[in-house]
Amino acid sequence: MGKRFSTMDLSKLSDDKALAIAAYGEAVAAYRYIELSEKARDPQLRDSFEQMARDERLQRDRIQALLARIAPAAGFYLSQEDKLAVCVGPRLVDARDDARFDEAMKLVIASEKRSASFYLRYAVHAHDGDVRALFSELAEVGLAQVQRLRKLLAAVGRQIAEPCPVSQLRMG
């Protein structure tokens, strides 16, 4: 599992670049939830993952709307370092059997944690109040998503061993 972390100095990041990174993270999350919903055998998992994909797309759309307001002509190339700020592992997850499903869920949960951490850490550096507010909100939403995933997995009898429980994250 991709355990590398981004080492970027968030204090030097501009709001528009931070929004572009955030939009990437939300797009990847939506894509992963779509993949998981298509592979899920359990109807509860399938429905939950479909809803999560919709939620992630809405978050991405909010981020992109704010980016369009702040920097309408912005266009960014995101480096691997940029992508590591919000994602763990490859964009595509493989959930075709139980072992691969468990590994995919570890990546999804780790990415939710990493995104939440990015949002919270960047919020203190944001120049625009709307960016600060959105990132603070998305940090909370990300941590709630981790809890939602844990409860969902427990409800269907799956226990995923996470390498870093949320309680150990230093978020501010």
Side-chain angles (χ1 to χ4, degrees), residues 38-60:
E38 290 173 353
K39 302 286 194 260
R41 294 181 207 137
D42 183 287
Q44 182 181 2
L45 283 177
R46 186 173 36 257
D47 294 344
S48 294
F49 290 143
E50 286 173 4
Q51 181 58 52
M52 289 176 195
R54 284 190 293 275
D55 294 345
E56 297 291 343
R57 285 191 303 268
L58 290 172
Q59 290 169 194
R60 180 208 56 212

PDB file of all heavy atoms in Angstrom, residues 38-60:
ATOM      1  N   GLU A  38     -19.514  -1.080  -8.121  1.00  0.00           N
ATOM      2  CA  GLU A  38     -19.684  -2.043  -9.210  1.00  0.00           C
ATOM      3  C   GLU A  38     -19.227  -3.442  -8.823  1.00  0.00           C
ATOM      4  O   GLU A  38     -19.732  -4.430  -9.346  1.00  0.00           O
ATOM      5  CB  GLU A  38     -18.924  -1.569 -10.442  1.00  0.00           C
ATOM      6  CG  GLU A  38     -19.549  -0.337 -11.081  1.00  0.00           C
ATOM      7  CD  GLU A  38     -18.713   0.256 -12.204  1.00  0.00           C
ATOM      8  OE1 GLU A  38     -17.569  -0.206 -12.420  1.00  0.00           O
ATOM      9  OE2 GLU A  38     -19.201   1.192 -12.860  1.00  0.00           O
ATOM     10  N   LYS A  39     -18.279  -3.545  -7.909  1.00  0.00           N
ATOM     11  CA  LYS A  39     -17.728  -4.840  -7.510  1.00  0.00           C
ATOM     12  C   LYS A  39     -18.419  -5.427  -6.284  1.00  0.00           C
ATOM     13  O   LYS A  39     -18.278  -6.612  -6.003  1.00  0.00           O
ATOM     14  CB  LYS A  39     -16.229  -4.713  -7.208  1.00  0.00           C
ATOM     15  CG  LYS A  39     -15.398  -4.180  -8.356  1.00  0.00           C
ATOM     16  CD  LYS A  39     -15.222  -5.203  -9.434  1.00  0.00           C
ATOM     17  CE  LYS A  39     -14.150  -4.831 -10.404  1.00  0.00           C
ATOM     18  NZ  LYS A  39     -14.531  -4.256 -11.635  1.00  0.00           N
ATOM     19  N   ALA A  40     -19.136  -4.598  -5.533  1.00  0.00           N
ATOM     20  CA  ALA A  40     -19.742  -5.061  -4.279  1.00  0.00           C
ATOM     21  C   ALA A  40     -20.841  -6.078  -4.549  1.00  0.00           C
ATOM     22  O   ALA A  40     -21.719  -5.853  -5.381  1.00  0.00           O
ATOM     23  CB  ALA A  40     -20.296  -3.873  -3.503  1.00  0.00           C
ATOM     24  N   ARG A  41     -20.787  -7.171  -3.840  1.00  0.00           N
ATOM     25  CA  ARG A  41     -21.829  -8.191  -3.942  1.00  0.00           C
ATOM     26  C   ARG A  41     -22.978  -7.880  -2.992  1.00  0.00           C
ATOM     27  O   ARG A  41     -24.107  -8.220  -3.263  1.00  0.00           O
ATOM     28  CB  ARG A  41     -21.243  -9.568  -3.611  1.00  0.00           C
ATOM     29  CG  ARG A  41     -20.238 -10.029  -4.627  1.00  0.00           C
ATOM     30  CD  ARG A  41     -19.709 -11.416  -4.263  1.00  0.00           C
ATOM     31  NE  ARG A  41     -18.376 -11.535  -4.808  1.00  0.00           N
ATOM     32  CZ  ARG A  41     -17.343 -12.056  -4.182  1.00  0.00           C
ATOM     33  NH1 ARG A  41     -17.479 -12.544  -2.979  1.00  0.00           N
ATOM     34  NH2 ARG A  41     -16.172 -12.118  -4.749  1.00  0.00           N
ATOM     35  N   ASP A  42     -22.641  -7.263  -1.881  1.00  0.00           N
ATOM     36  CA  ASP A  42     -23.632  -6.945  -0.857  1.00  0.00           C
ATOM     37  C   ASP A  42     -24.413  -5.686  -1.271  1.00  0.00           C
ATOM     38  O   ASP A  42     -23.810  -4.654  -1.563  1.00  0.00           O
ATOM     39  CB  ASP A  42     -22.910  -6.703   0.476  1.00  0.00           C
ATOM     40  CG  ASP A  42     -23.859  -6.440   1.608  1.00  0.00           C
ATOM     41  OD1 ASP A  42     -24.434  -5.337   1.642  1.00  0.00           O
ATOM     42  OD2 ASP A  42     -24.018  -7.323   2.473  1.00  0.00           O
ATOM     43  N   PRO A  43     -25.752  -5.765  -1.313  1.00  0.00           N
ATOM     44  CA  PRO A  43     -26.554  -4.602  -1.739  1.00  0.00           C
ATOM     45  C   PRO A  43     -26.361  -3.375  -0.850  1.00  0.00           C
ATOM     46  O   PRO A  43     -26.381  -2.248  -1.338  1.00  0.00           O
ATOM     47  CB  PRO A  43     -27.996  -5.101  -1.661  1.00  0.00           C
ATOM     48  CG  PRO A  43     -27.928  -6.568  -1.515  1.00  0.00           C
ATOM     49  CD  PRO A  43     -26.575  -6.935  -1.033  1.00  0.00           C
ATOM     50  N   GLN A  44     -26.153  -3.590   0.448  1.00  0.00           N
ATOM     51  CA  GLN A  44     -25.923  -2.457   1.357  1.00  0.00           C
ATOM     52  C   GLN A  44     -24.623  -1.742   0.997  1.00  0.00           C
ATOM     53  O   GLN A  44     -24.571  -0.514   0.965  1.00  0.00           O
ATOM     54  CB  GLN A  44     -25.884  -2.936   2.804  1.00  0.00           C
ATOM     55  CG  GLN A  44     -25.700  -1.804   3.805  1.00  0.00           C
ATOM     56  CD  GLN A  44     -25.645  -2.299   5.251  1.00  0.00           C
ATOM     57  OE1 GLN A  44     -25.710  -3.485   5.531  1.00  0.00           O
ATOM     58  NE2 GLN A  44     -25.530  -1.353   6.166  1.00  0.00           N
ATOM     59  N   LEU A  45     -23.585  -2.506   0.726  1.00  0.00           N
ATOM     60  CA  LEU A  45     -22.306  -1.911   0.310  1.00  0.00           C
ATOM     61  C   LEU A  45     -22.476  -1.178  -1.017  1.00  0.00           C
ATOM     62  O   LEU A  45     -22.006  -0.046  -1.170  1.00  0.00           O
ATOM     63  CB  LEU A  45     -21.222  -2.982   0.172  1.00  0.00           C
ATOM     64  CG  LEU A  45     -20.595  -3.520   1.445  1.00  0.00           C
ATOM     65  CD1 LEU A  45     -19.611  -4.627   1.110  1.00  0.00           C
ATOM     66  CD2 LEU A  45     -19.924  -2.417   2.234  1.00  0.00           C
ATOM     67  N   ARG A  46     -23.113  -1.832  -1.969  1.00  0.00           N
ATOM     68  CA  ARG A  46     -23.287  -1.232  -3.290  1.00  0.00           C
ATOM     69  C   ARG A  46     -24.012   0.110  -3.189  1.00  0.00           C
ATOM     70  O   ARG A  46     -23.551   1.123  -3.712  1.00  0.00           O
ATOM     71  CB  ARG A  46     -24.048  -2.195  -4.211  1.00  0.00           C
ATOM     72  CG  ARG A  46     -24.142  -1.724  -5.638  1.00  0.00           C
ATOM     73  CD  ARG A  46     -24.763  -2.755  -6.592  1.00  0.00           C
ATOM     74  NE  ARG A  46     -25.832  -3.565  -6.030  1.00  0.00           N
ATOM     75  CZ  ARG A  46     -25.694  -4.839  -5.631  1.00  0.00           C
ATOM     76  NH1 ARG A  46     -24.554  -5.460  -5.753  1.00  0.00           N
ATOM     77  NH2 ARG A  46     -26.728  -5.510  -5.135  1.00  0.00           N
ATOM     78  N   ASP A  47     -25.131   0.133  -2.475  1.00  0.00           N
ATOM     79  CA  ASP A  47     -25.898   1.376  -2.338  1.00  0.00           C
ATOM     80  C   ASP A  47     -25.100   2.452  -1.600  1.00  0.00           C
ATOM     81  O   ASP A  47     -25.133   3.625  -1.977  1.00  0.00           O
ATOM     82  CB  ASP A  47     -27.217   1.116  -1.603  1.00  0.00           C
ATOM     83  CG  ASP A  47     -28.169   0.234  -2.403  1.00  0.00           C
ATOM     84  OD1 ASP A  47     -27.959   0.068  -3.630  1.00  0.00           O
ATOM     85  OD2 ASP A  47     -29.122  -0.296  -1.786  1.00  0.00           O
ATOM     86  N   SER A  48     -24.396   2.048  -0.554  1.00  0.00           N
ATOM     87  CA  SER A  48     -23.601   3.011   0.216  1.00  0.00           C
ATOM     88  C   SER A  48     -22.471   3.599  -0.621  1.00  0.00           C
ATOM     89  O   SER A  48     -22.224   4.805  -0.584  1.00  0.00           O
ATOM     90  CB  SER A  48     -23.038   2.345   1.473  1.00  0.00           C
ATOM     91  OG  SER A  48     -24.078   1.986   2.343  1.00  0.00           O
ATOM     92  N   PHE A  49     -21.787   2.750  -1.380  1.00  0.00           N
ATOM     93  CA  PHE A  49     -20.693   3.241  -2.219  1.00  0.00           C
ATOM     94  C   PHE A  49     -21.208   4.164  -3.327  1.00  0.00           C
ATOM     95  O   PHE A  49     -20.557   5.149  -3.668  1.00  0.00           O
ATOM     96  CB  PHE A  49     -19.884   2.088  -2.814  1.00  0.00           C
ATOM     97  CG  PHE A  49     -19.056   1.333  -1.803  1.00  0.00           C
ATOM     98  CD1 PHE A  49     -18.900  -0.034  -1.910  1.00  0.00           C
ATOM     99  CD2 PHE A  49     -18.432   1.979  -0.749  1.00  0.00           C
ATOM    100  CE1 PHE A  49     -18.136  -0.742  -0.996  1.00  0.00           C
ATOM    101  CE2 PHE A  49     -17.666   1.288   0.180  1.00  0.00           C
ATOM    102  CZ  PHE A  49     -17.524  -0.079   0.059  1.00  0.00           C
ATOM    103  N   GLU A  50     -22.382   3.851  -3.884  1.00  0.00           N
ATOM    104  CA  GLU A  50     -22.967   4.738  -4.893  1.00  0.00           C
ATOM    105  C   GLU A  50     -23.266   6.113  -4.296  1.00  0.00           C
ATOM    106  O   GLU A  50     -23.002   7.141  -4.921  1.00  0.00           O
ATOM    107  CB  GLU A  50     -24.233   4.114  -5.481  1.00  0.00           C
ATOM    108  CG  GLU A  50     -23.963   2.974  -6.424  1.00  0.00           C
ATOM    109  CD  GLU A  50     -25.216   2.240  -6.887  1.00  0.00           C
ATOM    110  OE1 GLU A  50     -26.337   2.663  -6.531  1.00  0.00           O
ATOM    111  OE2 GLU A  50     -25.069   1.248  -7.613  1.00  0.00           O
ATOM    112  N   GLN A  51     -23.809   6.139  -3.072  1.00  0.00           N
ATOM    113  CA  GLN A  51     -24.086   7.411  -2.408  1.00  0.00           C
ATOM    114  C   GLN A  51     -22.795   8.160  -2.112  1.00  0.00           C
ATOM    115  O   GLN A  51     -22.715   9.372  -2.285  1.00  0.00           O
ATOM    116  CB  GLN A  51     -24.878   7.186  -1.108  1.00  0.00           C
ATOM    117  CG  GLN A  51     -25.222   8.479  -0.387  1.00  0.00           C
ATOM    118  CD  GLN A  51     -26.040   9.433  -1.243  1.00  0.00           C
ATOM    119  OE1 GLN A  51     -27.058   9.053  -1.804  1.00  0.00           O
ATOM    120  NE2 GLN A  51     -25.594  10.682  -1.374  1.00  0.00           N
ATOM    121  N   MET A  52     -21.768   7.447  -1.686  1.00  0.00           N
ATOM    122  CA  MET A  52     -20.480   8.074  -1.392  1.00  0.00           C
ATOM    123  C   MET A  52     -19.876   8.678  -2.658  1.00  0.00           C
ATOM    124  O   MET A  52     -19.295   9.761  -2.612  1.00  0.00           O
ATOM    125  CB  MET A  52     -19.527   7.066  -0.757  1.00  0.00           C
ATOM    126  CG  MET A  52     -19.901   6.692   0.648  1.00  0.00           C
ATOM    127  SD  MET A  52     -18.791   5.407   1.283  1.00  0.00           S
ATOM    128  CE  MET A  52     -19.710   4.853   2.702  1.00  0.00           C
ATOM    129  N   ALA A  53     -20.024   7.992  -3.776  1.00  0.00           N
ATOM    130  CA  ALA A  53     -19.526   8.530  -5.050  1.00  0.00           C
ATOM    131  C   ALA A  53     -20.247   9.834  -5.385  1.00  0.00           C
ATOM    132  O   ALA A  53     -19.617  10.807  -5.808  1.00  0.00           O
ATOM    133  CB  ALA A  53     -19.699   7.512  -6.172  1.00  0.00           C
ATOM    134  N   ARG A  54     -21.565   9.859  -5.191  1.00  0.00           N
ATOM    135  CA  ARG A  54     -22.326  11.095  -5.439  1.00  0.00           C
ATOM    136  C   ARG A  54     -21.859  12.218  -4.512  1.00  0.00           C
ATOM    137  O   ARG A  54     -21.675  13.357  -4.955  1.00  0.00           O
ATOM    138  CB  ARG A  54     -23.822  10.849  -5.251  1.00  0.00           C
ATOM    139  CG  ARG A  54     -24.471  10.100  -6.396  1.00  0.00           C
ATOM    140  CD  ARG A  54     -25.987  10.083  -6.297  1.00  0.00           C
ATOM    141  NE  ARG A  54     -26.489   9.320  -5.167  1.00  0.00           N
ATOM    142  CZ  ARG A  54     -26.700   8.003  -5.172  1.00  0.00           C
ATOM    143  NH1 ARG A  54     -26.461   7.289  -6.260  1.00  0.00           N
ATOM    144  NH2 ARG A  54     -27.168   7.396  -4.106  1.00  0.00           N
ATOM    145  N   ASP A  55     -21.640  11.890  -3.243  1.00  0.00           N
ATOM    146  CA  ASP A  55     -21.176  12.892  -2.275  1.00  0.00           C
ATOM    147  C   ASP A  55     -19.822  13.460  -2.686  1.00  0.00           C
ATOM    148  O   ASP A  55     -19.595  14.677  -2.612  1.00  0.00           O
ATOM    149  CB  ASP A  55     -21.077  12.292  -0.877  1.00  0.00           C
ATOM    150  CG  ASP A  55     -22.419  11.893  -0.287  1.00  0.00           C
ATOM    151  OD1 ASP A  55     -23.478  12.318  -0.822  1.00  0.00           O
ATOM    152  OD2 ASP A  55     -22.412  11.131   0.710  1.00  0.00           O
ATOM    153  N   GLU A  56     -18.922  12.589  -3.103  1.00  0.00           N
ATOM    154  CA  GLU A  56     -17.579  13.033  -3.512  1.00  0.00           C
ATOM    155  C   GLU A  56     -17.656  13.925  -4.752  1.00  0.00           C
ATOM    156  O   GLU A  56     -16.934  14.915  -4.864  1.00  0.00           O
ATOM    157  CB  GLU A  56     -16.665  11.832  -3.784  1.00  0.00           C
ATOM    158  CG  GLU A  56     -16.410  10.952  -2.576  1.00  0.00           C
ATOM    159  CD  GLU A  56     -15.550  11.585  -1.490  1.00  0.00           C
ATOM    160  OE1 GLU A  56     -14.861  12.584  -1.743  1.00  0.00           O
ATOM    161  OE2 GLU A  56     -15.573  11.054  -0.365  1.00  0.00           O
ATOM    162  N   ARG A  57     -18.524  13.578  -5.697  1.00  0.00           N
ATOM    163  CA  ARG A  57     -18.679  14.415  -6.900  1.00  0.00           C
ATOM    164  C   ARG A  57     -19.227  15.793  -6.531  1.00  0.00           C
ATOM    165  O   ARG A  57     -18.784  16.802  -7.099  1.00  0.00           O
ATOM    166  CB  ARG A  57     -19.567  13.723  -7.930  1.00  0.00           C
ATOM    167  CG  ARG A  57     -18.859  12.592  -8.662  1.00  0.00           C
ATOM    168  CD  ARG A  57     -19.650  12.099  -9.865  1.00  0.00           C
ATOM    169  NE  ARG A  57     -20.984  11.652  -9.530  1.00  0.00           N
ATOM    170  CZ  ARG A  57     -21.320  10.404  -9.218  1.00  0.00           C
ATOM    171  NH1 ARG A  57     -20.406   9.459  -9.197  1.00  0.00           N
ATOM    172  NH2 ARG A  57     -22.577  10.089  -8.939  1.00  0.00           N
ATOM    173  N   LEU A  58     -20.153  15.852  -5.593  1.00  0.00           N
ATOM    174  CA  LEU A  58     -20.680  17.144  -5.145  1.00  0.00           C
ATOM    175  C   LEU A  58     -19.593  17.983  -4.478  1.00  0.00           C
ATOM    176  O   LEU A  58     -19.508  19.195  -4.707  1.00  0.00           O
ATOM    177  CB  LEU A  58     -21.861  16.947  -4.185  1.00  0.00           C
ATOM    178  CG  LEU A  58     -23.143  16.423  -4.805  1.00  0.00           C
ATOM    179  CD1 LEU A  58     -24.175  16.094  -3.719  1.00  0.00           C
ATOM    180  CD2 LEU A  58     -23.722  17.428  -5.789  1.00  0.00           C
ATOM    181  N   GLN A  59     -18.767  17.337  -3.681  1.00  0.00           N
ATOM    182  CA  GLN A  59     -17.652  18.048  -3.046  1.00  0.00           C
ATOM    183  C   GLN A  59     -16.673  18.553  -4.107  1.00  0.00           C
ATOM    184  O   GLN A  59     -16.210  19.691  -4.043  1.00  0.00           O
ATOM    185  CB  GLN A  59     -16.949  17.138  -2.036  1.00  0.00           C
ATOM    186  CG  GLN A  59     -17.781  16.868  -0.813  1.00  0.00           C
ATOM    187  CD  GLN A  59     -17.239  15.781   0.086  1.00  0.00           C
ATOM    188  OE1 GLN A  59     -17.956  15.318   0.936  1.00  0.00           O
ATOM    189  NE2 GLN A  59     -16.008  15.351  -0.078  1.00  0.00           N
ATOM    190  N   ARG A  60     -16.374  17.716  -5.076  1.00  0.00           N
ATOM    191  CA  ARG A  60     -15.485  18.129  -6.172  1.00  0.00           C
ATOM    192  C   ARG A  60     -16.075  19.317  -6.912  1.00  0.00           C
ATOM    193  O   ARG A  60     -15.372  20.282  -7.224  1.00  0.00           O
ATOM    194  CB  ARG A  60     -15.268  16.965  -7.144  1.00  0.00           C
ATOM    195  CG  ARG A  60     -14.352  17.317  -8.308  1.00  0.00           C
ATOM    196  CD  ARG A  60     -14.638  16.509  -9.547  1.00  0.00           C
ATOM    197  NE  ARG A  60     -16.028  16.655  -9.956  1.00  0.00           N
ATOM    198  CZ  ARG A  60     -16.725  15.699 -10.563  1.00  0.00           C
ATOM    199  NH1 ARG A  60     -16.196  14.544 -10.835  1.00  0.00           N
ATOM    200  NH2 ARG A  60     -17.983  15.918 -10.912  1.00  0.00           N
TER     201      ARG A  60
END
